[in-house]
PDB file of all heavy atoms in Angstrom:
ATOM      1  N   ALA A 205     151.191  79.716  74.957  1.00  0.00           N
ATOM      2  CA  ALA A 205     152.340  78.908  75.468  1.00  0.00           C
ATOM      3  C   ALA A 205     151.833  77.799  76.414  1.00  0.00           C
ATOM      4  O   ALA A 205     152.495  76.846  76.643  1.00  0.00           O
ATOM      5  CB  ALA A 205     153.384  79.722  76.131  1.00  0.00           C
ATOM      6  N   GLY A 206     150.670  78.077  76.940  1.00  0.00           N
ATOM      7  CA  GLY A 206     150.054  77.098  77.893  1.00  0.00           C
ATOM      8  C   GLY A 206     148.601  77.100  77.596  1.00  0.00           C
ATOM      9  O   GLY A 206     148.159  77.394  76.474  1.00  0.00           O
ATOM     10  N   PRO A 207     147.724  76.848  78.632  1.00  0.00           N
ATOM     11  CA  PRO A 207     146.251  76.843  78.398  1.00  0.00           C
ATOM     12  C   PRO A 207     145.785  78.215  77.932  1.00  0.00           C
ATOM     13  O   PRO A 207     146.227  79.230  78.549  1.00  0.00           O
ATOM     14  CB  PRO A 207     145.737  76.430  79.819  1.00  0.00           C
ATOM     15  CG  PRO A 207     146.834  75.687  80.418  1.00  0.00           C
ATOM     16  CD  PRO A 207     148.097  76.432  79.990  1.00  0.00           C
ATOM     17  N   ALA A 208     144.918  78.235  76.988  1.00  0.00           N
ATOM     18  CA  ALA A 208     144.409  79.519  76.462  1.00  0.00           C
ATOM     19  C   ALA A 208     143.380  80.025  77.494  1.00  0.00           C
ATOM     20  O   ALA A 208     142.884  79.190  78.340  1.00  0.00           O
ATOM     21  CB  ALA A 208     143.743  79.334  75.123  1.00  0.00           C
ATOM     22  N   PRO A 209     143.043  81.322  77.502  1.00  0.00           N
ATOM     23  CA  PRO A 209     142.123  81.846  78.474  1.00  0.00           C
ATOM     24  C   PRO A 209     140.755  81.121  78.256  1.00  0.00           C
ATOM     25  O   PRO A 209     140.408  80.690  77.141  1.00  0.00           O
ATOM     26  CB  PRO A 209     141.957  83.307  78.009  1.00  0.00           C
ATOM     27  CG  PRO A 209     143.162  83.670  77.246  1.00  0.00           C
ATOM     28  CD  PRO A 209     143.600  82.404  76.600  1.00  0.00           C
ATOM     29  N   ALA A 210     139.993  80.974  79.278  1.00  0.00           N
ATOM     30  CA  ALA A 210     138.745  80.221  79.276  1.00  0.00           C
ATOM     31  C   ALA A 210     137.531  81.082  79.034  1.00  0.00           C
ATOM     32  O   ALA A 210     136.417  80.519  78.907  1.00  0.00           O
ATOM     33  CB  ALA A 210     138.580  79.405  80.539  1.00  0.00           C
ATOM     34  N   ASP A 211     137.689  82.368  79.055  1.00  0.00           N
ATOM     35  CA  ASP A 211     136.573  83.250  78.894  1.00  0.00           C
ATOM     36  C   ASP A 211     136.926  84.549  78.218  1.00  0.00           C
ATOM     37  O   ASP A 211     138.114  84.661  77.832  1.00  0.00           O
ATOM     38  CB  ASP A 211     135.941  83.517  80.240  1.00  0.00           C
ATOM     39  CG  ASP A 211     136.865  84.011  81.324  1.00  0.00           C
ATOM     40  OD1 ASP A 211     137.810  84.769  80.928  1.00  0.00           O
ATOM     41  OD2 ASP A 211     136.774  83.635  82.519  1.00  0.00           O
ATOM     42  N   PHE A 212     135.956  85.447  78.002  1.00  0.00           N
ATOM     43  CA  PHE A 212     136.177  86.753  77.409  1.00  0.00           C
ATOM     44  C   PHE A 212     136.375  87.648  78.572  1.00  0.00           C
ATOM     45  O   PHE A 212     135.545  87.939  79.280  1.00  0.00           O
ATOM     46  CB  PHE A 212     134.871  87.051  76.622  1.00  0.00           C
ATOM     47  CG  PHE A 212     134.835  88.342  75.961  1.00  0.00           C
ATOM     48  CD1 PHE A 212     134.937  88.308  74.583  1.00  0.00           C
ATOM     49  CD2 PHE A 212     134.617  89.497  76.545  1.00  0.00           C
ATOM     50  CE1 PHE A 212     134.868  89.569  73.801  1.00  0.00           C
ATOM     51  CE2 PHE A 212     134.493  90.709  75.844  1.00  0.00           C
ATOM     52  CZ  PHE A 212     134.645  90.689  74.435  1.00  0.00           C
ATOM     53  N   SER A 213     137.619  88.187  78.668  1.00  0.00           N
ATOM     54  CA  SER A 213     137.976  88.947  79.842  1.00  0.00           C
ATOM     55  C   SER A 213     138.449  90.356  79.477  1.00  0.00           C
ATOM     56  O   SER A 213     139.288  90.478  78.615  1.00  0.00           O
ATOM     57  CB  SER A 213     139.061  88.247  80.733  1.00  0.00           C
ATOM     58  OG  SER A 213     138.591  87.131  81.354  1.00  0.00           O
ATOM     59  N   ALA A 214     137.924  91.375  80.173  1.00  0.00           N
ATOM     60  CA  ALA A 214     138.325  92.720  80.007  1.00  0.00           C
ATOM     61  C   ALA A 214     139.049  93.171  81.218  1.00  0.00           C
ATOM     62  O   ALA A 214     138.426  93.237  82.296  1.00  0.00           O
ATOM     63  CB  ALA A 214     137.076  93.637  79.760  1.00  0.00           C
ATOM     64  N   TYR A 215     140.291  93.484  81.141  1.00  0.00           N
ATOM     65  CA  TYR A 215     141.165  93.904  82.281  1.00  0.00           C
ATOM     66  C   TYR A 215     141.064  95.493  82.377  1.00  0.00           C
ATOM     67  O   TYR A 215     141.375  96.172  81.352  1.00  0.00           O
ATOM     68  CB  TYR A 215     142.562  93.453  82.145  1.00  0.00           C
ATOM     69  CG  TYR A 215     142.669  91.975  82.325  1.00  0.00           C
ATOM     70  CD1 TYR A 215     142.394  91.086  81.261  1.00  0.00           C
ATOM     71  CD2 TYR A 215     143.019  91.437  83.589  1.00  0.00           C
ATOM     72  CE1 TYR A 215     142.489  89.740  81.443  1.00  0.00           C
ATOM     73  CE2 TYR A 215     143.232  89.998  83.685  1.00  0.00           C
ATOM     74  CZ  TYR A 215     142.961  89.188  82.703  1.00  0.00           C
ATOM     75  OH  TYR A 215     143.009  87.838  82.866  1.00  0.00           O
ATOM     76  N   LEU A 216     140.861  96.008  83.530  1.00  0.00           N
ATOM     77  CA  LEU A 216     140.767  97.414  83.765  1.00  0.00           C
ATOM     78  C   LEU A 216     142.204  97.896  84.208  1.00  0.00           C
ATOM     79  O   LEU A 216     142.723  97.402  85.216  1.00  0.00           O
ATOM     80  CB  LEU A 216     139.780  97.793  84.858  1.00  0.00           C
ATOM     81  CG  LEU A 216     138.343  97.383  84.561  1.00  0.00           C
ATOM     82  CD1 LEU A 216     137.330  97.814  85.649  1.00  0.00           C
ATOM     83  CD2 LEU A 216     137.818  97.858  83.198  1.00  0.00           C
ATOM     84  N   THR A 217     142.769  98.868  83.544  1.00  0.00           N
ATOM     85  CA  THR A 217     144.052  99.391  83.906  1.00  0.00           C
ATOM     86  C   THR A 217     144.029 100.908  83.910  1.00  0.00           C
ATOM     87  O   THR A 217     143.099 101.522  83.268  1.00  0.00           O
ATOM     88  CB  THR A 217     145.165  98.893  82.945  1.00  0.00           C
ATOM     89  OG1 THR A 217     145.180  99.649  81.737  1.00  0.00           O
ATOM     90  CG2 THR A 217     144.957  97.472  82.557  1.00  0.00           C
ATOM     91  N   GLY A 218     145.065 101.477  84.392  1.00  0.00           N
ATOM     92  CA  GLY A 218     145.170 102.973  84.379  1.00  0.00           C
ATOM     93  C   GLY A 218     145.456 103.535  82.960  1.00  0.00           C
ATOM     94  O   GLY A 218     145.313 104.696  82.779  1.00  0.00           O
ATOM     95  N   ARG A 219     145.797 102.644  82.062  1.00  0.00           N
ATOM     96  CA  ARG A 219     146.112 103.028  80.669  1.00  0.00           C
ATOM     97  C   ARG A 219     144.967 102.613  79.688  1.00  0.00           C
ATOM     98  O   ARG A 219     145.201 102.684  78.563  1.00  0.00           O
ATOM     99  CB  ARG A 219     147.524 102.608  80.276  1.00  0.00           C
ATOM    100  CG  ARG A 219     148.559 103.118  81.107  1.00  0.00           C
ATOM    101  CD  ARG A 219     149.925 102.755  80.595  1.00  0.00           C
ATOM    102  NE  ARG A 219     150.139 103.189  79.197  1.00  0.00           N
ATOM    103  CZ  ARG A 219     151.169 102.813  78.353  1.00  0.00           C
ATOM    104  NH1 ARG A 219     151.985 101.927  78.896  1.00  0.00           N
ATOM    105  NH2 ARG A 219     151.288 103.301  77.211  1.00  0.00           N
TER     106      ARG A 219
END
Side-chain angles (χ1 to χ4, degrees):
D211 50 37
F212 182 105
S213 287
Y215 290 80
L216 304 184
T217 81
R219 298 184 60 191

